[in-house]
Amino acid sequence: MATKRVGIIGYPIRHSASPAFQQAALDFKGIDAKFEAWAVEPGMVVEWMAQQDRTDLLGFGVTVPHKQEIMKVLDYVDNDAKTIGAVNTVVVSKDKRLLGYNTDAYGFLEALQEDGGFIPEGQHVLVLGAGGVSRAVCTVLLLEGVASLTLANRTVARAEALLGELNTSGAKVEAVSIEPDALTASLAAQEPKALIVNCTSLGMLHGPDEEASPLLQEMIPPTSLVFDLVYNPAETPLMKLAEAAGAKTLGGLSMLVYQGTKGFQLWTGEAAPLDIMMSAAKKAVLG
Ligand SMILES: NC(=O)c1ccc[n+]([C@@H]2O[C@H](COP(=O)([O-])OP(=O)(O)OC[C@H]3O[C@@H](n4cnc5c(N)ncnc54)[C@H](OP(=O)(O)O)[C@@H]3O)[C@@H](O)[C@H]2O)c1
């Protein structure tokens, strides 16, 4: 039998940690498959998919900027992915249909609860950024019953539009500007935040703003947990400021691995070796 193929599409994709920890899991389980990173330019997903031979393809992960466009080519989208409005995992079924899932929400909640020790119900939260992953994060936090959710973004209209699409489940929600003066004024009029989640790409290595933090130190309550979804570097500029403010911090690597365990199960039908994946991811990202 030929070696199976599985991979991840995105653009750019060369800094993805997924190939390292997914291949480690496949090798550990003795599955004859190769996990690759495929660079697919923006707007080219439909064309790329049409060129793929599905015979040996188990499926693939989907990252920026394709999580919504990929939905055009799918035969089935599961309910979580429909609610979130984005797909980050595609499975090729035995009859070669394309099935779409979203594992970001699972990965986020698992990391928040298991590694952050944080239960969202009844809490006041601040989410920074209103892009693809913010959609999954806000959906989960509202489903888990937060008391209030403030969504700060550079483009406020995008935050307003996102909140307008979500089921707020009785929580108080507000879209605000992430610009420091405006955000400081907004936060001064609100309950102190127990959780702050960075869903912007600020602070990401090789990104356009790798030295930047979306918040100033004085905006971070010492009693809060600051969860930065950026996973490279391990300690981001925001996390350094949060620690200086006395807050607890959590980086994005464990979320990445948790969402990857779910993908692994969907592609292979086997339980994912979490410890193997976590240590391979740490080695790939942190050296
Ligand atoms: N740990 C994990 O498992 C995991 C999973 C998914 C994503 N992530 C990370 O989360 C981050 C966001 O991913 P995404 O898929 O949501 O990306 P995205 O859809 O491109 O959204 C990017 C967000 O960052 C904001 N932003 C970008 N540059 C900015 C700047 N200079 N100043 C202020 N805001 C800025 C954007 O604001 P505008 O709306 O104004 O453009 C938008 O809210 C990335 O770093 C990604 O690596 C981590």
Side-chain angles (χ1 to χ4, degrees), residues 9 45 62-72 74 81 85-89 101-102 104 132-133 136 255 259:
I9 62 166
V45 167
V62 182
T63 188
V64 180
H66 303 312
K67 289 184 187 180
Q68 285 170 311
E69 199 189 348
I70 191 70
M71 294 172 89
K72 291 183 195 162
L74 302 178
V87 161
N88 77 335
T89 303
Y101 302 86
N102 190 304
D104 278 337
V133 79
M255 170 177 167
Q259 64 82 28

Side-chain angles (χ1 to χ4, degrees), residues 13-258:
I13 194 68
R14 71 180 187 283
H15 300 297
S16 171
S18 295
F21 70 77
Q22 293 289 3
Q23 191 64 56
L26 292 165
D27 294 347
F28 178 77
K29 293 291 241 180
I31 297 168
D32 183 16
K34 187 152 171 42
F35 194 102
E36 294 178 333
W38 296 310
V40 178
E41 287 185 26
M44 296 302 286
V45 167
V46 176
E47 199 167 78
W48 175 82
M49 195 66 242
Q51 291 164 357
Q52 295 307 303
D53 177 359
R54 298 185 198 177
T55 317
D56 298 316
L57 187 63
L58 296 176
F60 51 93
V62 182
T63 188
V64 180
H66 303 312
K67 289 184 187 180
Q68 285 170 311
E69 199 189 348
I70 191 70
M71 294 172 89
K72 291 183 195 162
V73 301
L74 302 178
D75 300 298
Y76 162 85
V77 177
D78 98 322
N79 279 338
D80 284 355
K82 266 191 206 147
T83 308
I84 294 163
V87 161
N88 77 335
T89 303
V90 175
V91 175
V92 180
S93 67
K94 285 206 170 66
D95 58 359
K96 305 302 168 202
R97 292 188 318 136
L98 299 174
L99 320 178
Y101 302 86
N102 190 304
T103 65
D104 278 337
Y106 166 81
F108 169 72
L109 194 57
E110 201 69 5
L112 184 66
Q113 294 180 339
E114 292 296 316
D115 301 333
F118 189 92
I119 306 298
E121 189 178 358
Q123 304 279 13
H124 299 284
V125 303
L126 169 63
V127 176
L128 309 165
V133 79
S134 172
R135 186 176 275 271
V137 165
C138 292
T139 302
V140 161
L141 290 172
L142 290 167
L143 281 172
E144 291 295 310
V146 293
S148 73
L149 189 155
T150 302
L151 182 58
N153 199 39
R154 176 176 60 180
T155 314
V156 182
R158 197 176 182 195
E160 282 167 351
L162 175 52
L163 288 180
E165 286 172 34
L166 297 178
N167 179 354
T168 54
S169 318
K172 194 175 159 208
V173 297
E174 190 179 359
V176 298
S177 167
I178 205 169
E179 189 277 316
D181 287 343
L183 184 53
T184 302
S186 303
L187 293 177
Q190 300 177 18
E191 305 266 5
K193 305 301 174 192
L195 173 70
I196 298 171
V197 187
N198 178 32
C199 299
T200 75
S201 40
L202 293 181
M204 191 173 69
L205 199 69
H206 309 299
D209 301 286
E210 57 184 72
E211 303 293 328
S213 162
L215 289 184
L216 305 174
Q217 184 177 322
E218 53 270 31
M219 297 156 93
I220 304 170
T223 49
S224 62
L225 169 66
V226 175
F227 185 178
D228 197 336
L229 302 199
V230 171
Y231 60 84
N232 195 1
E235 193 176 50
T236 63
L238 172 63
M239 287 165 74
K240 285 186 186 152
L241 293 179
E243 272 152 30
K248 284 208 300 178
T249 61
L250 183 61
L253 195 65
S254 65
M255 170 177 167
L256 183 77
V257 176
Y258 284 124

